[in-house]
Amino acid sequence: MSRLPSFKGVIAATLTPSKGYVDRIPAYYDFLRTAGVKGFFILGTWGEGPRHGAEHRMRVAEKAVESTTSSELAIVHVGSSDMDTVRTLLRHANEIGASAAAVIAPYYYRPDTETLLRYYRVLAESSEIPLLVYNIPSKQGYSISSNTLTAVLEEVGNVWGVKDSSGDPATGVALVRKFRGRKFVAIGADELITFAFTIGANGVVSGIASVFPEMVVGLQRALEQGEMNRALELQHLINEASNLLSSIGVEYETQRSVLRIRGVDIGPPPDPVRTLREDELTRLKEGVAGILERLVY
Amino acid sequence: MSRLPSFKGVIAATLTPSKGYVDRIPAYYDFLRTAGVKGFFILGTWGEGPRHGAEHRMRVAEKAVESTTSSELAIVHVGSSDMDTVRTLLRHANEIGASAAAVIAPYYYRPDTETLLRYYRVLAESSEIPLLVYNIPSKQGYSISSNTLTAVLEEVGNVWGVKDSSGDPATGVALVRKFRGRKFVAIGADELITFAFTIGANGVVSGIASVFPEMVVGLQRALEQGEMNRALELQHLINEASNLLSSIGVEYETQRSVLRIRGVDIGPPPDPVRTLREDELTRLKEGVAGILERLVY
Amino acid sequence: MSRLPSFKGVIAATLTPSKGYVDRIPAYYDFLRTAGVKGFFILGTWGEGPRHGAEHRMRVAEKAVESTTSSELAIVHVGSSDMDTVRTLLRHANEIGASAAAVIAPYYYRPDTETLLRYYRVLAESSEIPLLVYNIPSKQGYSISSNTLTAVLEEVGNVWGVKDSSGDPATGVALVRKFRGRKFVAIGADELITFAFTIGANGVVSGIASVFPEMVVGLQRALEQGEMNRALELQHLINEASNLLSSIGVEYETQRSVLRIRGVDIGPPPDPVRTLREDELTRLKEGVAGILERLVY
Amino acid sequence: MSRLPSFKGVIAATLTPSKGYVDRIPAYYDFLRTAGVKGFFILGTWGEGPRHGAEHRMRVAEKAVESTTSSELAIVHVGSSDMDTVRTLLRHANEIGASAAAVIAPYYYRPDTETLLRYYRVLAESSEIPLLVYNIPSKQGYSISSNTLTAVLEEVGNVWGVKDSSGDPATGVALVRKFRGRKFVAIGADELITFAFTIGANGVVSGIASVFPEMVVGLQRALEQGEMNRALELQHLINEASNLLSSIGVEYETQRSVLRIRGVDIGPPPDPVRTLREDELTRLKEGVAGILERLVY
C-alpha cells in the first residue's frame, strides 16, 4: 500500500476475456504496459465485472494480478448488487494479493448515507487490502454528494481512496483539495483527463486507455511537459474515440473489436452479447485507422 | 401454464425476509391471501432479489412457492446482472415448480435489440416453465420500445408474457392491444392500476399490494362493480401510500416496517441496510394509521 | 363562466397560422368542429404561442375567439417568460371575450412555491375572465407537486381550473378527486386520454385533436358507450400518431403539414422554421393515410 | 470587433436591476471593474433577460453599455422565445453600440439543425455588430452537438464566437481546438473555470463573478502565475458559492441579496419574485461571510 498515495499516472480500465480466454490477459497487459500504462483496473465497468459470475471473475482476477509487477497497481473491482458476492470476491482479492479492491457503491437499490457508510465499513473491516470507493452515478442510479464521499473516506478505516466517475468537475476539485497527499484520488471520466492531471489528481482510470493506451499516456506526458497544444489535440482525440466507440456495435464487444483490429485478440464476447456485423467492423476499422493516423502527426 | 392466459387479478410484489427468517413467509402470504391477492411475484425489485446472493434467493423461492396453492400464481424473479447467476436461478425455479420465471432485461449493461433477443432466447430454451419478460427502465438504465418488447414476445418461444414497469401508458396500451388473450400482460406501476384494469390488462404486479393488499384488491373490485368514485378514492390512497413509503427511511426496510406495524413480522433488514430510527417509525406509524383509517370509510 | 364546470369533452390544442394567414382560422375551426371538437385551446404549446410576438398573438386570439360560438370554449393561452407580455396578453384576452385565459407556470426561471402563488394571484387579480393554470414540466423545466397545484387552485381567487400536462397519472387522480364539480380539470397528455375520461376529468386538451380530431372525439364516444375494444384501438392509434409526428420534420411544421395533407391549409411556417423536404412529406403522407385507413375500419 | 478575438479574461454574467432602478448599474459595474472584471454579459440567464419585457431590457442595455469603456466587452443578450422580440432587441443592441449581441439558441421549441442554422443566419444578416451564439441546454431543453455548434460558427457570417454553458468539457475542447485565434470561445459554467483557462479558452462568462468577482479574477491570475494550489482553493470556493446560492431563497433574488450584503444595492426583485425571509437572509449572510473570510487567507 505504501506505493499508493504517491502514485501518478494512467490506470487502464482493462477489458475482460470471456470464459476460456483468460490466458490472453498477459499479452494484453503487455500491450498496455508498453504504451506506458502503470495501473490496471480489473473487472470494473469497462471490464464487465457485473456481467460475469463470481467464478469467472475470480479466474480473471487471478490471472490479471499475476500479470502485473510489484511496481504496478492491480486494482480488482469486487462490486456486485448482492452482498454475498461482494464478500466472496473481496476475500478472494485479498488472497491473490491485489493492490486494492475497488467497490462500486450499491447499485439497483439506493442506500441512504448511513447505509452507505455501513456498507463500506462492513467491507473494509473484513479486508486486509485497502478499499477504493468507486462512484459512478450513471450505473448506480443515484448521485453521491461530495460531502458524503468525503465522509466515507474520512470515517471508514482502510479506505485509501476513490475513483470518481461522476463526470462532475466540482466533485473532483473537492476530493483532490481535501485529500491530496493523504488519499488516492482518481478521476474515471475520459473527457476529464486533462482536468484531472491539471488539478493534481493521482491519476485517471480510463476506458479509452484500455484500447488506445498511447493516447492517454501521451496526454499525461504532454501536460507534464507543458505542451498544451498537444494536450488539447490528444484530449480531443480521446473524446472522438469515445464517440466512435459508443456509436457502433454493442457494449463492450465494440471495445474488444478495437483491440482485435489493433492485433490484440482477447477472444469472443460473453454470452449473450452478439459480435459485430461486417458493416460495423468496416466502419470501426476506418474509425480506428483515422484515430491512429492523427495520433502520430 | 394453462391458468396463465386467463388470469385476472392482483399480484403482490412480495417482500423478502433476510437470512434466517425464511420461515416467516407462509404467515406473510396468508396475510396477503386473506386480503384477496391471487398471485405472488417473488424476489423482484420490491422483493430485493438483486440484493441477495443466489443461495438465499433459492431458499426464499423454495419456501415461497411451497407457500402458494395450485390456483395461485407463484412467479419467481431470477434476473441478475450476471448471466451465470440467472442460469442457476432459472434452473432452480424450474426444479421447484414455479408458475413462471420472471427475468428483468439486462441491467448495468445496455444490450442492443439483437442482444436482448438473444438474451431471452437463450434463457427460454433452457427452461421448461415459461418466462415473463420484466421491463423496468428505472433499474435497467435504458428504455425498451414497445416494438422491441413486442418482438421479444412474438419471436422468442416459451415467453408467456410481460410485466411492464415502464410507467408509460402507451406501452401498456400497445401490449394489451397486441397480445390480449394470447399472452399475459401485467402492469407493474402502482399509479397505473386503474388504467391497467380499465384497458384490460391481465393484472397488476403491485408493490403497494405487498403491504396494503386490501387497497389494491379493493380497487380492482370497485372497478369491476363500476364504482368509479370508490376506485378513484382507492387509487389516490395508493398514490399517497407510495409517497409515504418513499419519503421515510430506506429501501425496503421502510416497507418491512409497515408490515411489522400491521402485525406481520418478516424479520430484520439484510446487511448492511439500517433499521429505521425512532422518529421515522413514529412518523411511519402515523402515516399507516391515517391510510388504514381512510381505507375503511 | 357558468358553462365551465360542467364541460365534458375534447378541447383541441389548435395550431396557429403565421403572420398574414390569420384568416385561415375560421375554416380550420370548422374542420375541428365538424369532427366534434367542443373547445379550442389557442396559442398554447402546439399553438406556438411562445414562438410568436405579442402583436401576432393578439391578432390570432381575436380571430380565434371570433370563430367560436357561445356554446364552445375559447381558451386563450397568454403565458410568456416575461411578465410584461403576460399582462399585455391577459388584458387583451379579457377585451376580446375569451372564455378563460390559460397561463403556463413561469418558464426559463424556476419559482419557489410562494413566488408561484404570487404569480397567479397577481394575474388573477387583474383579470375579469377566469384563469386556467397550465402545468407542463417538460417546457417549464421543473415539476410542480400536486399539493402545490392544489394550493394554487384553492388559494388564488378567479382560478377556475387546471390543464395538467405533467403526464403523471397520480397528479390527474389527485386533481380530479379534489376538485370534481368545483373546478375544471383537464388532462393535456395524448397518451392519457382514456385515463382522463375514465377517472372523470372534465376533458382533455389534446394536440392530436388539432390534426386528427375525429380520433380523439371517437375515443371519448367509445368510452361513453362502453366500447372498450374500440377505445383501446383508438388510444393506440393516437399514440402511433404521436410517434409519427415526432419522428418526421420539425416542430410544429410537421403538424401544419398534416393539416395541409388533409385539405386544411393554414399557411407556411413562421420564420425561421423550415418547411418539410420532399422525402419527409412523402413519408408523412403515407403515415397519415395509414392512420386514416385504420380509423375507419 | 477588433478587440474580440484576442480577449482574455473574466466576463461577469451581470445581474439586472428591476424597473426604476436602472441607475444603479454604474455603481454595480464599478464594483465589478474594481475587482478586475473586463467584460459584461448583460441580460443573460443570470441577468434575467428572458424574465423582462423588451422595454425594460432596452433601458437596461442602454445604461449598461453606457457604463462600460471602450476597452471592455459589453455583450448584450437579446434572445427570447419569440422571434419578433429578438429582432427588436438585436436592432436596439446595434443602435446603442454593444460590442456584440448574444443570442441563446431557440428555447421552448426545439429546432432541427437546419432551422438552427437559419435562425442564426437570419439574425446575423440583420446585424452590424457581431453575434455570439449562446448554448445552454438546461434552459433550451435540448443539447446541441459540438459538430452542429461548429457548423453554426463556420457557416454563418458575422458570428464571432460562442458562449458554451453546456457544462460538457468535450464540447469546450472541440470548440477551442477548432477556433482558437479565429473565433471567440467562452465557457459559461462556473465549475469549469479552471478547465476553461487551462485549455486556452478566451474567457469565462461567470455567474459567480457577478457577485464574487474577486474570486473568479483571482482564479484566473493564480492560473497565469502557475499557483495551482491557490487556483484549486479558489475553484473550490467558487463551487461552494454556487451551492450556497442554489440552496437558499429564489432565483435570482438570492444573488441580488448577496450584492446587497456586500454593499451594492441594485434594488428589489421584479414582480412577482418574492424577497428573502429573515431566516434566509441570516443564513445567506453567514454563508457570504464564511466565503469572504476564506477568500482572504
Side-chain angles (χ1 to χ4, degrees):
Chain A
M1 188 182 167
S2 57
R3 62 190 153 160
L4 297 178
S6 60
F7 180 92
K8 275 279 174 189
V10 173
I11 300 167
T14 57
L15 303 180
T16 295
S18 302
K19 284 177 202 165
Y21 294 84
V22 167
D23 58 358
R24 304 288 174 95
I25 292 176
Y28 172 37
Y29 278 25
D30 276 343
F31 166 76
L32 299 174
R33 184 178 289 123
T34 303
V37 165
K38 291 185 190 168
F40 300 83
F41 193 79
I42 301 153
L43 291 157
T45 296
W46 280 56
E48 292 172 294
R51 165 125 70 201
H52 288 292
E55 273 305 308
H56 186 56
R57 288 175 74 165
M58 291 191 280
R59 294 303 79 75
V60 169
E62 283 159 14
K63 181 58 85 179
V65 170
E66 207 183 287
S67 306
T68 60
T69 70
S70 62
S71 64
E72 291 169 341
L73 282 183
I75 304 168
V76 176
H77 177 247
V78 301
S80 165
S81 63
D82 89 81
M83 193 68 175
D84 291 341
T85 298
V86 182
R87 286 179 186 282
T88 301
L89 295 175
L90 178 56
R91 199 176 315 118
H92 180 260
N94 272 269
E95 287 162 11
I96 63 176
S99 309
V103 190
I104 187 174
Y107 59 93
Y108 205 97
Y109 295 106
R110 182 183 190 133
D112 64 352
T113 300
E114 189 183 327
T115 297
L116 189 71
L117 280 163
R118 288 167 58 100
Y119 183 70
Y120 284 109
R121 198 172 286 131
V122 163
L123 295 173
E125 282 168 5
S126 73
S127 178
E128 300 268 321
I129 61 172
L131 295 197
L132 182 72
V133 174
Y134 177 19
N135 176 40
I136 182 164
S138 63
K139 294 299 182 183
Q140 291 151 205
Y142 57 91
S143 290
I144 304 177
S145 73
S146 59
N147 283 346
T148 300
L149 277 179
T150 296
V152 174
L153 268 71
E154 289 282 31
E155 296 175 27
V156 180
N158 203 20
V159 167
W160 65 278
V162 58
K163 175 198 170 188
D164 181 55
S165 296
S166 67
D168 173 32
T171 298
V173 164
L175 292 169
V176 169
R177 178 184 165 275
K178 183 82 180 180
F179 294 111
R180 199 172 19 189
R182 294 167 48 214
K183 297 275 181 186
F184 181 86
V185 177
I187 301 295
D190 282 320
E191 73 279 14
L192 286 174
I193 294 176
T194 300
F195 183 73
F197 285 117
T198 301
I199 64 171
N202 288 85
V204 293
V205 177
S206 163
I208 291 297
S210 74
V211 287
F212 294 113
E214 60 276 68
M215 237 190 292
V216 183
V217 171
L219 171 49
Q220 187 201 1
R221 289 180 187 157
L223 287 166
E224 282 171 2
Q225 295 159 10
E227 295 179 19
M228 199 55 218
N229 277 0
R230 178 153 175 79
L232 188 68
E233 208 60 39
L234 285 165
Q235 179 69 66
H236 184 62
L237 210 50
I238 287 166
N239 298 342
E240 293 208 322
S242 293
N243 289 342
L244 177 74
L245 296 180
S246 60
S247 66
I248 296 177
V250 58
E251 286 178 339
Y252 278 84
E253 179 55 12
T254 297
Q255 281 79 349
R256 249 183 304 267
S257 301
V258 172
L259 277 190
R260 230 172 277 129
I261 290 169
R262 302 199 65 186
V264 181
D265 189 347
I266 62 166
D271 193 28
V273 180
R274 70 170 175 93
T275 53
L276 266 57
R277 294 187 311 265
E278 268 313 305
D279 65 299
E280 291 175 325
L281 274 176
T282 304
R283 276 193 296 142
L284 191 61
K285 274 176 200 167
E286 287 168 10
V288 169
I291 283 170
L292 292 178
E293 217 162 83
R294 287 162 62 192
L295 188 52
V296 182
Y297 83 9
Chain B
M1 188 181 168
S2 58
R3 62 191 152 161
L4 296 179
S6 61
F7 181 92
K8 275 280 173 185
V10 173
I11 301 167
T14 57
L15 303 180
T16 295
S18 301
K19 285 178 203 166
Y21 295 85
V22 167
D23 58 358
R24 303 290 173 95
I25 292 175
Y28 172 38
Y29 278 26
D30 276 343
F31 166 77
L32 298 175
R33 184 177 288 121
T34 304
V37 165
K38 291 186 193 166
F40 301 83
F41 192 80
I42 300 153
L43 291 158
T45 297
W46 281 56
E48 291 172 297
R51 165 127 66 203
H52 289 291
E55 272 305 308
H56 186 56
R57 287 174 75 164
M58 292 191 280
R59 295 301 80 75
V60 169
E62 283 159 13
K63 181 59 84 180
V65 171
E66 206 184 287
S67 305
T68 60
T69 70
S70 62
S71 66
E72 292 169 341
L73 282 183
I75 304 168
V76 177
H77 176 247
V78 301
S80 165
S81 63
D82 89 81
M83 192 68 177
D84 291 341
T85 297
V86 181
R87 286 179 186 282
T88 301
L89 294 175
L90 177 56
R91 199 175 314 120
H92 180 261
N94 271 270
E95 287 163 11
I96 62 176
S99 309
V103 190
I104 187 175
Y107 59 92
Y108 206 96
Y109 296 105
R110 182 184 190 135
D112 64 351
T113 300
E114 188 183 329
T115 298
L116 189 71
L117 279 163
R118 287 166 60 100
Y119 183 71
Y120 283 109
R121 197 172 288 132
V122 163
L123 295 172
E125 282 168 4
S126 72
S127 178
E128 300 268 322
I129 62 172
L131 294 198
L132 182 71
V133 173
Y134 178 19
N135 176 39
I136 182 164
S138 63
K139 294 299 183 184
Q140 291 151 205
Y142 58 91
S143 292
I144 303 177
S145 73
S146 60
N147 283 346
T148 300
L149 277 178
T150 296
V152 174
L153 269 72
E154 289 283 29
E155 295 174 26
V156 180
N158 203 20
V159 168
W160 65 276
V162 59
K163 173 195 172 191
D164 181 55
S165 295
S166 67
D168 173 33
T171 299
V173 164
L175 292 170
V176 169
R177 178 183 166 277
K178 181 83 181 180
F179 293 111
R180 199 172 19 189
R182 292 167 48 214
K183 299 274 181 186
F184 181 85
V185 177
I187 301 296
D190 282 319
E191 73 278 15
L192 285 175
I193 294 176
T194 299
F195 182 73
F197 285 118
T198 301
I199 63 170
N202 288 85
V204 293
V205 178
S206 163
I208 290 297
S210 74
V211 288
F212 294 114
E214 59 276 68
M215 237 193 285
V216 183
V217 171
L219 172 49
Q220 188 203 0
R221 289 180 186 157
L223 287 167
E224 282 171 2
Q225 295 158 11
E227 295 180 20
M228 198 57 219
N229 278 0
R230 179 152 175 79
L232 188 69
E233 208 60 39
L234 285 165
Q235 179 68 66
H236 184 64
L237 209 52
I238 287 165
N239 299 341
E240 293 208 323
S242 292
N243 289 341
L244 178 74
L245 296 180
S246 60
S247 66
I248 296 177
V250 58
E251 288 178 337
Y252 278 82
E253 179 55 12
T254 297
Q255 281 78 350
R256 251 183 302 269
S257 301
V258 172
L259 278 189
R260 229 172 276 127
I261 290 168
R262 301 200 65 185
V264 181
D265 189 348
I266 63 166
D271 191 29
V273 181
R274 70 173 177 92
T275 53
L276 266 56
R277 294 188 311 264
E278 267 314 305
D279 66 300
E280 291 174 325
L281 273 175
T282 303
R283 276 192 297 142
L284 190 62
K285 273 176 201 166
E286 287 168 10
V288 169
I291 283 169
L292 292 177
E293 216 162 84
R294 286 162 62 191
L295 187 55
V296 183
Y297 83 8
Chain C
M1 187 180 169
S2 57
R3 61 188 153 161
L4 297 178
S6 61
F7 180 92
K8 274 278 173 188
V10 173
I11 300 166
T14 58
L15 304 181
T16 295
S18 302
K19 285 177 201 165
Y21 294 85
V22 166
D23 58 358
R24 304 289 174 94
I25 292 176
Y28 171 38
Y29 279 26
D30 277 344
F31 166 76
L32 299 174
R33 184 178 289 121
T34 303
V37 166
K38 291 185 191 167
F40 301 83
F41 192 80
I42 300 153
L43 290 158
T45 296
W46 280 56
E48 292 172 295
R51 164 124 71 199
H52 288 292
E55 271 306 308
H56 186 55
R57 288 175 74 164
M58 292 191 279
R59 294 302 79 76
V60 169
E62 284 160 13
K63 182 59 84 178
V65 170
E66 207 183 287
S67 306
T68 61
T69 70
S70 61
S71 64
E72 291 169 340
L73 282 183
I75 305 167
V76 177
H77 176 247
V78 301
S80 165
S81 64
D82 89 81
M83 192 67 176
D84 291 341
T85 297
V86 182
R87 286 179 186 282
T88 301
L89 295 175
L90 178 56
R91 199 177 314 119
H92 181 261
N94 272 268
E95 287 163 11
I96 63 175
S99 309
V103 190
I104 187 175
Y107 60 92
Y108 205 97
Y109 296 106
R110 181 184 190 134
D112 64 352
T113 300
E114 189 182 329
T115 298
L116 189 72
L117 280 163
R118 288 167 59 99
Y119 183 71
Y120 283 109
R121 198 172 286 132
V122 163
L123 295 173
E125 281 168 5
S126 73
S127 179
E128 301 267 321
I129 61 172
L131 295 197
L132 182 72
V133 174
Y134 178 18
N135 176 40
I136 180 164
S138 63
K139 294 298 182 183
Q140 291 152 204
Y142 56 91
S143 291
I144 303 177
S145 73
S146 59
N147 283 347
T148 300
L149 277 179
T150 296
V152 174
L153 268 70
E154 289 283 32
E155 295 173 28
V156 179
N158 202 22
V159 168
W160 65 277
V162 59
K163 174 196 171 189
D164 180 56
S165 296
S166 68
D168 173 32
T171 298
V173 164
L175 292 169
V176 169
R177 177 183 166 276
K178 181 83 180 179
F179 294 111
R180 200 173 18 190
R182 292 167 49 215
K183 297 276 181 186
F184 181 86
V185 177
I187 301 295
D190 282 319
E191 73 279 15
L192 286 175
I193 294 176
T194 299
F195 183 73
F197 285 118
T198 301
I199 63 171
N202 289 85
V204 293
V205 177
S206 163
I208 290 297
S210 74
V211 287
F212 294 113
E214 59 277 69
M215 238 192 287
V216 183
V217 172
L219 171 50
Q220 186 201 2
R221 289 181 186 156
L223 287 166
E224 282 172 2
Q225 294 159 9
E227 295 179 21
M228 198 56 218
N229 277 359
R230 179 154 175 79
L232 188 69
E233 208 60 39
L234 285 165
Q235 179 69 67
H236 183 64
L237 210 50
I238 287 166
N239 298 342
E240 293 208 322
S242 292
N243 289 342
L244 178 73
L245 297 180
S246 60
S247 66
I248 296 178
V250 58
E251 287 178 339
Y252 278 85
E253 180 54 13
T254 297
Q255 281 78 350
R256 250 184 304 269
S257 301
V258 171
L259 278 189
R260 229 172 277 127
I261 290 168
R262 302 201 63 185
V264 182
D265 188 348
I266 63 166
D271 193 26
V273 180
R274 69 172 176 92
T275 52
L276 267 56
R277 295 187 310 264
E278 268 313 304
D279 65 300
E280 291 174 326
L281 274 176
T282 303
R283 276 193 296 142
L284 191 61
K285 274 176 200 166
E286 288 168 9
V288 168
I291 283 170
L292 292 177
E293 215 162 84
R294 286 162 61 190
L295 188 53
V296 182
Y297 81 11
Chain D
M1 190 182 165
S2 57
R3 62 191 152 158
L4 296 180
S6 60
F7 180 92
K8 275 279 172 186
V10 172
I11 300 166
T14 58
L15 303 181
T16 294
S18 302
K19 285 176 202 167
Y21 295 85
V22 167
D23 59 356
R24 305 288 174 94
I25 292 175
Y28 171 37
Y29 278 26
D30 276 344
F31 166 77
L32 298 174
R33 185 178 289 122
T34 303
V37 166
K38 290 186 192 166
F40 301 83
F41 193 80
I42 300 153
L43 291 157
T45 296
W46 280 56
E48 292 172 295
R51 165 124 71 200
H52 289 293
E55 271 306 306
H56 186 56
R57 287 175 76 165
M58 291 191 279
R59 296 302 80 75
V60 169
E62 283 159 13
K63 183 58 86 180
V65 170
E66 206 183 288
S67 306
T68 59
T69 70
S70 62
S71 66
E72 292 169 342
L73 282 183
I75 304 168
V76 177
H77 177 247
V78 301
S80 166
S81 63
D82 89 81
M83 192 68 175
D84 290 342
T85 297
V86 181
R87 285 178 186 281
T88 301
L89 295 175
L90 177 56
R91 199 176 314 119
H92 181 260
N94 272 269
E95 287 163 10
I96 63 176
S99 310
V103 190
I104 187 174
Y107 58 92
Y108 205 96
Y109 296 105
R110 182 184 191 134
D112 64 350
T113 301
E114 188 183 329
T115 297
L116 188 72
L117 279 163
R118 286 167 61 101
Y119 183 71
Y120 284 109
R121 198 172 286 133
V122 163
L123 295 172
E125 282 168 3
S126 72
S127 179
E128 301 267 321
I129 62 172
L131 295 197
L132 182 71
V133 173
Y134 177 18
N135 176 40
I136 181 164
S138 63
K139 294 300 183 183
Q140 292 152 202
Y142 57 91
S143 291
I144 303 177
S145 73
S146 59
N147 282 346
T148 299
L149 277 179
T150 296
V152 174
L153 269 71
E154 289 281 31
E155 295 175 25
V156 180
N158 203 20
V159 168
W160 65 278
V162 58
K163 175 198 171 188
D164 181 55
S165 296
S166 67
D168 173 33
T171 298
V173 164
L175 293 169
V176 169
R177 178 183 166 276
K178 182 81 180 181
F179 294 110
R180 201 172 18 188
R182 293 166 49 214
K183 299 274 181 185
F184 181 85
V185 177
I187 301 296
D190 282 320
E191 74 278 15
L192 285 174
I193 295 176
T194 300
F195 183 73
F197 285 119
T198 302
I199 63 171
N202 289 85
V204 294
V205 177
S206 162
I208 290 297
S210 75
V211 289
F212 295 113
E214 60 276 69
M215 236 192 289
V216 183
V217 172
L219 170 50
Q220 187 202 0
R221 289 181 185 156
L223 287 166
E224 282 170 3
Q225 294 159 9
E227 296 180 19
M228 198 57 218
N229 277 1
R230 179 151 175 81
L232 188 69
E233 207 61 39
L234 285 165
Q235 179 67 67
H236 183 64
L237 209 51
I238 287 166
N239 299 341
E240 293 208 321
S242 292
N243 289 342
L244 177 74
L245 297 180
S246 59
S247 66
I248 297 177
V250 57
E251 288 179 337
Y252 278 84
E253 180 55 12
T254 297
Q255 281 79 348
R256 251 182 303 269
S257 302
V258 171
L259 277 189
R260 231 172 276 127
I261 290 168
R262 302 201 63 185
V264 181
D265 188 348
I266 63 166
D271 192 28
V273 181
R274 71 173 176 90
T275 54
L276 267 56
R277 295 188 310 265
E278 267 315 304
D279 65 299
E280 291 174 324
L281 273 176
T282 303
R283 276 192 296 142
L284 190 61
K285 274 176 199 165
E286 287 169 9
V288 169
I291 283 170
L292 292 177
E293 216 162 84
R294 287 162 61 191
L295 187 53
V296 182
Y297 81 13

